[in-house]
């Protein structure tokens, strides 16, 4: 899948955008933005995904694997399918996510990505071991591979292709020091919630290209009405998400990202015997709304098949 679950804005090929605008007017602009925003909100979706799971179950020596699937819309257009998977048992965690553009956006400007993080849980502290992120689009493949020592410090960072810094803010000194990768935030939220904490926290994040702080805050509860897109309706709790970019981001900010005023993940149980997982994603901007809907989930043996190496 949220991403990360990562915070990066990519430029679409200008000729593709012009074609979309010609065909669909403002709707084309919305679809282009949908692809740009894919790497902004995807990791946030996955962060809340595992945080909700951790809050749902009593701490135990072993937790069952779980997978959840989502469809995401922007401005009424189906722009992305995403899947998040969590394996969290005892002293180790593994989080994996995959996403792919859909509809006209996928036709004119295809993109798909996969990301995975593994690490240790020691004395309620998250210690990442490895993070891999791979995205493929018309302009080629983009890869990030981070490796950590036993204390969770980055010892190797491979980024391909190398970052073009001409139109980007520089990274701060020691950008990776004291940070988690985007998906390891999931394990951090899990530990927070298992300890009885609320849906809130602040996390220092480095994804290999950008440095930012991610903030999670409680947004209260509300009743989600039934619709044709989701398998869920009913009472849900909101987790408000925000981030502060500290380096590696573009100097010229997208008008869409600049007007994003609400980023909320709604968490609930899709069934009585199910754990808490995100059931809806909502991002409000001046140019349209991003909506992500839960379309399915599985636990235990069914989810385990998706987590095998």
């Amino acid at each position: 899948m949220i991403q990360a679950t990562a915070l990066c804005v990519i430029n679409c090929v200008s000729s593709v955008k012009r074609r979309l605008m010609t065909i669909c007017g403002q709707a084309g602009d919305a679809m282009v933005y949908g692809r740009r925003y894919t790497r902004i909100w995807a990791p946030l979706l996955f962060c809340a995904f595992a945080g909700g799971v951790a809050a749902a179950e009593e701490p135990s020596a072993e937790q069952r694997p779980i997978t959840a699937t989502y469809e995401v819309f922007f401005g009424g257009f189906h722009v992305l399918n995403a899947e998040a998977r969590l394996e969290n048992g005892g002293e180790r965690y593994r989080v994996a996510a995959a996403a792919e553009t859909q509809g006209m956006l996928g036709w004119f400007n295809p993109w798909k990505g996969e990301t995975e993080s593994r690490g240790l849980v020691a004395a309620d502290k998250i210690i990442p071991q490895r993070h891999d992120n791979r995205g493929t689009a018309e302009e080629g493949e983009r890869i990030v591979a981070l490796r950590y020592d036993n204390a969770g410090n980055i010892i190797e960072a491979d980024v391909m292709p190398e970052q073009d810094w001409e139109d980007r803010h520089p990274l701060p000194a020691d950008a990776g020091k004291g940070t988690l990768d985007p998906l390891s935030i999931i394990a951090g939220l899990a530990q927070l919630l298992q300890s009885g904490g609320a849906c809130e926290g602040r996390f220092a994040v480095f994804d290999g290209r950008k440095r930012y702080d991610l903030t999670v805050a409680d947004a209260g509860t509300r009743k989600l009405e039934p619709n044709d897109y989701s398998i869920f309706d009913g009472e849900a709790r909101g987790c408000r998400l925000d981030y502060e970019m500290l380096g590696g981001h573009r100097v010229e900010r997208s008008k869409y990202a600049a007007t994003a005023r609400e980023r909320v993940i709604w968490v609930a149980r899709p069934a009585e015997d199910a754990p808490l997982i995100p059931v809806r994603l909502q991002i409000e901007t001046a140019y349209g709304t991003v909506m992500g809907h839960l379309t399915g989930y599985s636990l235990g043996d069914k989810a385990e098949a998706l987590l095998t190496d």
Side-chain angles (χ1 to χ4, degrees):
M1 70 207 57
I2 300 65
Q3 191 276 115
T5 305
L7 292 173
C8 94
V9 179
I10 58 176
N11 284 326
C12 293
V13 179
S14 59
S15 61
V16 173
K17 182 172 180 178
R18 285 195 296 269
R19 277 185 290 161
L20 286 171
M21 289 295 290
T22 300
I23 295 173
C24 302
Q26 188 175 359
D29 199 23
M31 288 190 294
V32 170
Y33 176 57
R35 178 170 182 262
R36 288 187 176 186
Y37 222 180
T38 292
R39 296 184 187 180
I40 293 178
W41 53 255
L44 305 185
L45 175 65
F46 305 137
C47 288
F49 168 80
V53 172
E57 302 185 87
E58 294 294 327
S60 61
E62 181 176 357
Q63 291 187 8
R64 291 181 296 171
I66 182 171
T67 182
T69 56
Y70 300 87
E71 291 184 356
V72 182
F73 298 78
F74 179 75
F77 289 90
H78 184 195
V79 296
L80 194 88
N81 284 349
E83 179 181 30
R85 305 185 292 272
L86 171 68
E87 187 176 23
N88 185 12
E91 299 177 349
R92 295 182 179 274
Y93 67 87
R94 178 187 178 194
V95 185
E100 185 172 5
T101 51
Q102 300 293 313
M104 289 190 67
L105 175 62
W107 182 32
F108 280 104
N109 221 349
W111 172 86
K112 63 180 179 179
E114 297 178 352
T115 183
E116 180 178 324
S117 292
R118 299 181 185 225
L120 304 174
V121 181
D124 293 330
K125 180 181 179 182
I126 299 303
I127 305 175
Q129 291 186 313
R130 61 182 296 164
H131 170 70
D132 295 285
N133 185 59
R134 181 186 300 268
T136 305
E138 289 183 338
E139 61 266 29
E141 192 172 52
R142 293 168 63 87
I143 299 174
V144 171
L146 303 178
R147 300 295 180 263
Y148 302 80
D149 64 17
N150 292 334
N153 301 309
I154 296 176
I155 56 175
E156 183 180 344
D158 293 327
V159 178
M160 297 180 289
E162 293 185 1
Q163 189 70 283
D164 182 359
W165 295 102
E166 182 177 352
D167 61 345
R168 293 181 179 273
H169 292 280
L171 285 171
D174 297 326
K177 185 176 181 179
T179 63
L180 296 175
D181 64 80
L183 290 187
S184 288
I185 300 170
I186 291 173
L189 283 171
Q191 289 302 305
L192 176 69
L193 292 167
Q194 282 182 350
S195 300
C199 184
E200 58 185 22
R202 187 175 179 89
F203 302 88
V205 186
F206 180 62
D207 67 4
R209 296 181 184 272
K210 287 171 297 303
R211 170 72 175 87
Y212 57 93
D213 284 347
L214 176 66
T215 302
V216 185
D218 189 88
T221 60
R222 61 173 283 194
K223 182 179 180 181
L224 302 181
E225 299 298 330
N227 60 52
D228 295 332
Y229 304 102
S230 177
I231 65 171
F232 176 82
D233 64 89
E235 195 79 10
R237 173 166 293 279
C239 296
R240 182 173 289 108
L241 308 170
D242 203 359
Y243 60 92
E244 178 186 3
M245 301 303 301
L246 301 176
H249 53 300
R250 293 188 179 277
V251 173
E252 184 176 353
R253 223 180 153 195
S254 160
K255 64 181 180 179
Y256 305 100
T259 63
R261 53 188 177 268
E262 281 285 317
R263 305 174 184 89
V264 181
I265 302 283
W266 296 97
V267 180
R269 298 179 189 271
E272 185 175 344
D273 61 345
L276 291 165
I277 60 174
V279 294
R280 188 169 299 179
L281 162 73
Q282 184 172 352
I283 302 175
E284 298 289 347
T285 82
Y287 300 90
T289 300
V290 178
M291 294 292 295
H293 300 278
L294 176 70
T295 58
Y297 73 95
S298 57
L299 293 167
D301 294 339
K302 293 182 179 180
E304 185 121 28
L306 298 171
L307 291 164
T308 56
D309 291 318

